Amino acid sequence: MRGAIRLNGLKFPVGISNFAKIRDEGYYYIDKTNLITEILESSIAEVTLITRPRRFGKTLGMSMLADFFDVRKDSSKHFAGLAIAKHTKICNQWMNQYPTIFVSLKDVDGISFQDACAQLSLQFADLYKEYAFLLDANNIDNDDRNIFQKIKAREASLPDLSRALSTLMKMLNTYYDKPVILLLDEYDVPIAKASSHGYYTEMMNIIKPLLSTSLKDNPNLCFALITGCLRIAKESVFTGTNNFVSDSIVRSNLKESFGFTQNEVDKLLAEANAEAYAETIRTWYDGYHFDAADVYCPWDVISYLYDLQRNPQAKPVSYWRNTSDNSIIRSFIDYASSNITEKLETLLAGGFIVQKVDDSLTYDYLHSSEENLWSILYLTGYLTKFRDEVLPATIPDGYSALMIPNEEIKEIYETTVMKWFADNAQASNRKALFAAVWSGDSEMLTKEMTKLLRMTISYHDYREDFYHAFLAGIFTGAGYVVESNREHGEGRSDVVVKDIRNGRIAVFEAKYAKTLNKLQDACDLAIDQINKRSYAEDFQDDYDDILCYGIAFFKKRCLVKRK
């Protein structure tokens, strides 16, 4: 966890999802305790599954609930001054009145099933250590006591491990003579990881009994709240669960409990004396539509304000790219047909696409159809719904207009697309292109570069840095030294390609033409810049052949000229 620096007297809890720590140590907290009243006042479902994208405050919300309900704690000071404190009847009836299990499966990962099981065993061993006092209770069954000791010592069999929650719930109910509140965070992470690494069936053989014994016809259960990214549909672990409710970004009664609303962000920026950054934060980190609510990603807002504490000139960055598993986008693009490519280009241009969305998926079938892929991008936060009221036409039932929510996610797409193109370019046959470079054949070079250009996925505005990355990607991994935007002569050339073994070098200056008929002029401008800024002079002492090229781009067309 990074340390806290104050901005206008505020401490921002970057990397902290422990509610008690936030309250005890004076970190800024946006009051989400209405989640408690929403749950308790709407006839409590026996099992509620809350699905949201990662980084939207699910773990902090569950930590807050655990602090409120857990009979082992005295949490009144943590909730003083918050919205829930006004509901005295609820507080008297529920605050610190029930045995409560709070456990997260977010760290259960592994390349192999054995590795993942070891992580799961460690997770439950740590959980059981919190309840070691149960071993000394006279009313605990000896068989349960023996199982408890094995799980705590990480010596349990797989069947015992798959019933770790129900065993603990039974013992707690016996000890307190009260049913147990179960708070299970990120339940689907082990399943997602298992699907990625090829042991999905084995992991499901543990997760299914883990949940079914805890949730289905369990007399020791008061109620359960479970969070994750997806609701698992096929062979569902929730099938047969009594009084089951699913709360998703598609249909939600807890719309504003996860993510920051506009009013909450306005209040935060006012208290931080940071209103000047409001538009930047909105452009980069807002745009998510959860049912009827519009929300910001809380992780991003807090992280950016934290960075501004250290540097008021800090630029917004993609915090998701640094913390989340973005492999879903890459796998999606790898799947790309021409149809998907066109849709991605529409999205990157700021438009929307109309797709059928299913919020009940299963990890082992994510890539079974294009429809599933669009659904997973939506459910995991990489796309969001376009508001129906501003659509130019009516959307059919079961379909949604989808768009990229903000600049942060757009940057992730662009970065992923460029990496995908670089990999594809390296896998393609570039012999003719390289031969054209070193022979000075600008006509052949134009032809070969256009071929590669048509392979890639267009950006939203065809900026020059797109083409700059395109050029660098062509030569990367082909045995050349590739330099980008290095100082040479009197200026800064775009891309320099060095063939050190053969003592030759190619210098490229790229320009973007705003229309097709301006392609020639843009190419001439690039050549003129090479001449005026003497890009080649730095290399004359070290290289025998120095080839300079001006290259102009318009969408998926290009023109190359040699100086």
Side-chain angles (χ1 to χ4, degrees), residues 312-495:
Q313 305 303 317
K315 301 295 183 183
V317 298
S318 175
Y319 300 102
W320 266 39
R321 188 175 66 197
N322 297 330
T323 62
S324 297
D325 182 1
N326 299 315
S327 61
I328 180 63
I329 294 181
R330 177 55 191 259
S331 66
F332 185 83
I333 295 171
D334 284 337
Y335 182 88
S337 63
S338 58
N339 187 40
I340 288 179
T341 299
E342 288 181 5
K343 291 176 182 177
L344 278 174
E345 290 178 350
T346 297
L347 291 169
L348 287 166
F352 66 86
I353 60 172
V354 176
Q355 291 294 140
K356 189 173 183 179
V357 170
D358 182 2
D359 63 342
S360 294
L361 295 171
T362 174
Y363 280 99
D364 59 339
Y365 277 78
L366 291 184
H367 298 85
S368 63
S369 71
E370 179 191 336
E371 192 173 276
N372 282 358
L373 287 165
W374 290 116
S375 294
I376 193 64
L377 288 174
Y378 169 54
L379 295 169
T380 52
Y382 293 103
L383 294 173
T384 196
K385 285 185 69 174
F386 201 91
R387 280 285 176 238
D388 291 345
E389 58 268 21
V390 294
L391 285 172
T394 303
I395 301 297
D397 289 344
Y399 285 76
S400 295
L402 303 178
M403 58 182 283
I404 295 173
N406 53 43
E407 286 295 323
E408 176 186 39
I409 302 301
K410 183 156 60 177
E411 183 182 277
I412 292 175
Y413 276 98
E414 291 178 346
T415 302
T416 307
V417 165
M418 283 313 302
K419 179 64 169 64
W420 168 83
F421 166 74
D423 292 343
N424 271 19
Q426 289 170 33
S428 65
N429 188 340
R430 292 165 288 169
K431 288 182 179 179
L433 187 150
F434 296 150
V437 170
W438 303 121
S439 66
D441 188 343
S442 57
E443 185 175 337
M444 179 60 68
L445 191 50
T446 297
K447 180 180 178 181
E448 292 299 317
M449 279 201 175
T450 301
K451 283 183 184 178
L452 279 179
L453 192 59
R454 286 172 177 161
M455 286 171 50
T456 192
I457 295 170
S458 303
Y459 273 24
H460 60 289
D461 59 1
Y462 294 93
R463 299 175 309 211
E464 282 191 17
D465 57 354
F466 166 81
Y467 296 111
H468 180 275
F470 168 82
L471 271 173
I474 288 173
F475 297 96
T476 300
Y480 302 115
V481 176
V482 182
E483 296 177 353
S484 302
N485 280 336
R486 292 285 298 274
E487 293 286 355
H488 296 297
E490 299 175 4
R492 189 181 289 269
S493 57
D494 277 340
V495 174

Side-chain angles (χ1 to χ4, degrees), residues 156-403:
S157 65
L158 285 183
D160 286 341
L161 195 62
S162 69
R163 292 173 176 262
L165 289 177
S166 60
T167 298
L168 183 56
M169 292 168 72
K170 177 183 176 184
M171 296 173 73
L172 285 170
N173 191 8
T174 299
Y175 184 85
Y176 287 105
D177 195 26
K178 284 185 174 182
V180 178
I181 295 172
L182 174 62
L183 305 173
L184 179 60
D185 189 40
E186 304 284 13
Y187 88 100
D188 58 340
V189 167
I191 303 166
K193 299 297 184 181
S195 178
S196 298
H197 297 303
Y199 54 89
Y200 177 87
T201 300
E202 293 92 331
M203 181 55 69
M204 283 296 287
N205 287 337
I206 291 183
I207 297 298
K208 283 182 67 176
L210 180 73
L211 296 186
S212 63
T213 57
S214 306
L215 305 177
K216 299 176 184 178
D217 301 317
N218 185 356
N220 305 303
L221 175 66
C222 179
F223 67 84
L225 288 171
I226 302 172
T227 71
C229 272
L230 295 182
R231 174 183 173 181
I232 300 173
K234 183 173 174 286
E235 300 179 9
S236 176
V237 292
F238 302 108
T239 299
T241 302
N242 298 326
N243 193 13
F244 171 81
V245 170
S246 177
D247 192 285
S248 71
I249 64 174
V250 181
R251 290 171 292 277
S252 176
N253 292 318
L254 307 172
K255 300 177 183 65
E256 298 181 356
S257 295
F258 302 93
F260 292 168
T261 66
Q262 186 63 57
N263 287 340
E264 289 168 341
V265 171
D266 289 345
K267 182 174 182 287
L268 168 58
L269 295 181
E271 294 184 17
N273 193 27
E275 292 103 324
Y277 301 99
E279 182 59 24
T280 297
I281 290 173
R282 186 195 64 77
T283 301
W284 272 77
Y285 308 124
D286 188 18
Y288 299 94
H289 303 142
F290 294 172
D291 198 337
D294 298 336
V295 295
Y296 290 71
C297 177
W299 166 264
D300 294 324
V301 174
I302 293 297
S303 295
Y304 184 47
L305 288 174
Y306 179 89
D307 286 345
L308 287 171
Q309 289 178 322
R310 296 177 298 168
N311 175 18
Q313 305 303 317
K315 301 295 183 183
V317 298
S318 175
Y319 300 102
W320 266 39
R321 188 175 66 197
N322 297 330
T323 62
S324 297
D325 182 1
N326 299 315
S327 61
I328 180 63
I329 294 181
R330 177 55 191 259
S331 66
F332 185 83
I333 295 171
D334 284 337
Y335 182 88
S337 63
S338 58
N339 187 40
I340 288 179
T341 299
E342 288 181 5
K343 291 176 182 177
L344 278 174
E345 290 178 350
T346 297
L347 291 169
L348 287 166
F352 66 86
I353 60 172
V354 176
Q355 291 294 140
K356 189 173 183 179
V357 170
D358 182 2
D359 63 342
S360 294
L361 295 171
T362 174
Y363 280 99
D364 59 339
Y365 277 78
L366 291 184
H367 298 85
S368 63
S369 71
E370 179 191 336
E371 192 173 276
N372 282 358
L373 287 165
W374 290 116
S375 294
I376 193 64
L377 288 174
Y378 169 54
L379 295 169
T380 52
Y382 293 103
L383 294 173
T384 196
K385 285 185 69 174
F386 201 91
R387 280 285 176 238
D388 291 345
E389 58 268 21
V390 294
L391 285 172
T394 303
I395 301 297
D397 289 344
Y399 285 76
S400 295
L402 303 178
M403 58 182 283

Side-chain angles (χ1 to χ4, degrees), residues 485-494 496 507 509 529-536 538-539:
N485 280 336
R486 292 285 298 274
E487 293 286 355
H488 296 297
E490 299 175 4
R492 189 181 289 269
S493 57
D494 277 340
V496 175
V507 178
E509 178 65 30
Q529 186 168 317
I530 290 172
N531 290 330
K532 287 182 177 178
R533 298 187 179 178
S534 307
Y535 286 161
D538 281 358
F539 306 113

